[in-house]
Amino acid sequence: MPDTTGDTTGSAAGGTTGPLAGVRVIDLSSMMAGPHCARLLADQGADVIKVESLTGDHMRNLRPRRKGQSRFFGQLNVGKRSVALDLKQPRGHAALMALVSRADVVIEAWRPGVAAKLGLGYEDCRPVNDRLVYCSISGYGQQGPDAGRAAFAPVIHAASGYDMAMLPYQAPGSPPPTTGVYIGDILGGTVAYGSVLTALLRRDRTGAGGRVDVSLVDSMMSVLVYELQAVQAGITDTRVSHPPLPTLDGWIAVTIVNDTGWSAMCRAMGRPELAGDDRYRDIGARTEHWDEMQATMAAWSRGLSTDEAESRLLAAGVPAARHRTPADLLDDAHLTGRRTFPQVADAAGEFRAMSAPFRIDDAVTPAAGARVPALGEHTVEVLESVAGLPAAAVREMVDAGIAGVQGS
């Protein structure tokens, strides 16, 4: 898979081990989707060079911050190298194109047409590197009447049908649910990660690079597996849902999908006779009496602490879990044992980052001790060793305000 020319020594940020060692990625993206994709690539050993404006990715300014360092930015960009360039200046543009000529992958997440206006579109990059995998991430894709629309995750959730698909499961009379967790961005970035790997594999087999077009709306629509088929089948009634069960001090999720699960639930409640009740004897009967069944379960759980309810449910073999907060997750014994939150560092010190949600040969990524790059921290070394620019030319660019270095 690696096809990088020029410097292949990597750095403390650009990994030299892992399945993607030797793959060089130019990350032109900001915000969440593109950086998430690029971070997953860096996690697996790719040398990811994040090219930022002289003022840096907007995410560097967002909380939570410690001593001026954004941990929001850090989570998405740990393990990369940072180069700061003014791409509107001819020498800044030329330096980037020199990096592109020596790269395997370019990731951009501008609105369609912006990259071309900057002279950085696929058609601009392909002549200097015909084996390049060029990944564009946008709200609505690169073609179509809506392609040029601005898009952020709440808009994507609305446009994809996701919010309205969730509406029937809210309290009657509720508006579409408010978005506070940006699923569209992270899901889209994950789709882009898989798409880039697919394109690299094709390049290994055919020798051809190519363009990857990732739509955040399409990514969110891929979640609506049942809903898109139900509407075509003329099904208008809502599927049964699994509301959280109240406890004395919280909530617990229980999912009953078959006879085995219902029998286990009856044992947990101390009411084994309900397993043979005509109202609940099979999935059809339970569906018909679903609200009554849920009320029976809630009446049982309401008198127990969350700890006790969860213990009884799990002991009986019921698929169940308490509703946990992000703070709960950081101290969870299972996640600690799985090493889900490795210690990484930025200029303000160490913090825990979410690992990649998969393991290859039990390797946790990012590796403990991985660093978040400061703005322009690697400008000089990358422009000299990767772009192949003379040291004097790089110094001139820095002095002229075309390239930025850490602390400038």
Side-chain angles (χ1 to χ4, degrees), residues 167-192:
L167 185 58
Y169 306 107
Q170 314 308 309
S174 297
T178 300
T179 295
V181 177
Y182 296 159
I183 301 171
D185 283 323
I186 298 303
L187 177 60
T190 304
V191 169

Side-chain angles (χ1 to χ4, degrees), residues 354-368:
M354 174 68 200
S355 66
F358 58 88
R359 306 279 189 271
I360 299 176
D361 292 337
D362 201 34
V364 176
T365 58

Side-chain angles (χ1 to χ4, degrees), residues 29 56 67 86 89 134 144 168-169 188 236 240 266 279 287 291 333 377 384 393 400 407:
S29 66
K67 296 181 181 179
D86 184 348
Q89 296 295 323
Y134 186 102
Y169 306 107
T236 58
V240 296
C266 294
R279 295 169 297 173
T287 299
D291 291 343
E377 179 178 349
E384 290 181 5

Side-chain angles (χ1 to χ4, degrees), residues 65-69 71 345-351 371:
R65 290 163 60 89
R66 180 169 179 265
K67 296 181 181 179
Q69 302 299 310
R71 298 290 164 79
D346 58 16
E350 290 190 336
F351 65 99
R371 296 193 59 80

Side-chain angles (χ1 to χ4, degrees), residues 49-329:
I49 299 170
K50 183 175 180 69
V51 178
E52 305 180 64
S53 69
L54 298 182
T55 56
D57 186 336
H58 169 68
M59 297 290 286
R60 288 185 180 272
N61 301 314
L62 301 186
R63 65 177 189 177
R65 290 163 60 89
R66 180 169 179 265
K67 296 181 181 179
Q69 302 299 310
S70 169
R71 298 290 164 79
F72 196 174
F73 174 87
Q75 165 75 33
L76 293 163
N77 292 282
V78 64
K80 303 177 185 179
R81 296 199 272 181
S82 172
V83 171
L85 287 172
D86 184 348
L87 299 179
K88 295 182 179 179
Q89 296 295 323
R91 282 191 287 175
H93 181 274
L96 176 58
M97 293 304 285
L99 294 177
V100 169
S101 71
R102 295 165 171 82
D104 299 285
V105 178
V106 166
I107 299 169
E108 62 92 2
W110 289 302
R111 203 180 307 186
V114 172
K117 289 180 181 178
L118 293 171
L120 301 171
Y122 177 59
E123 298 303 330
D124 301 297
C125 294
R126 186 179 180 184
V128 303
N129 185 348
D130 62 4
R131 289 177 57 82
L132 183 70
V133 171
Y134 186 102
C135 178
S136 295
I137 305 172
S138 63
Y140 297 84
Q142 298 298 306
Q143 295 86 32
D146 292 338
R149 291 174 60 172
F152 293 93
V155 175
I156 295 302
H157 292 190
S160 66
Y162 175 82
D163 285 346
M164 293 304 289
M166 292 291 290
L167 185 58
Y169 306 107
Q170 314 308 309
S174 297
T178 300
T179 295
V181 177
Y182 296 159
I183 301 171
D185 283 323
I186 298 303
L187 177 60
T190 304
V191 169
Y193 170 71
S195 302
V196 166
L197 294 182
T198 301
L200 286 172
L201 180 60
R202 186 188 72 166
R203 188 191 68 177
D204 283 354
R205 293 177 174 177
T206 68
R211 183 169 195 178
V212 174
D213 173 5
V214 175
S215 159
L216 299 185
V217 166
D218 290 358
S219 298
M220 283 297 293
M221 287 171 57
S222 71
V223 175
L224 308 180
V225 178
Y226 169 82
E227 291 76 10
L228 290 172
Q229 298 308 315
V231 72
Q232 294 178 75
I235 298 173
T236 58
D237 56 315
T238 304
R239 283 193 300 173
V240 296
S241 59
H242 303 272
L245 299 182
T247 66
L248 288 172
D249 54 358
W251 301 89
I252 194 161
V254 173
T255 304
I256 305 299
V257 298
N258 54 34
D259 296 345
T260 299
W262 175 241
S263 294
M265 185 71 205
C266 294
R267 292 194 301 274
M269 294 190 295
R271 299 191 63 185
E273 75 280 0
L274 288 179
D277 191 302
D278 285 346
R279 295 169 297 173
Y280 313 127
R281 66 183 181 277
D282 56 31
I283 185 61
R286 287 192 295 275
T287 299
E288 186 176 347
H289 298 91
W290 192 261
D291 291 343
E292 185 179 353
M293 184 185 80
Q294 291 293 328
T296 298
M297 293 161 58
W300 168 78
S301 65
R302 194 175 283 115
L304 301 173
S305 69
T306 303
D307 280 345
E308 187 174 2
E310 186 178 45
S311 294
R312 291 190 188 184
L313 290 165
L314 296 179
V318 179
R322 70 181 63 206
H323 284 261
R324 295 184 292 180
T325 68
D328 294 333
L329 302 178

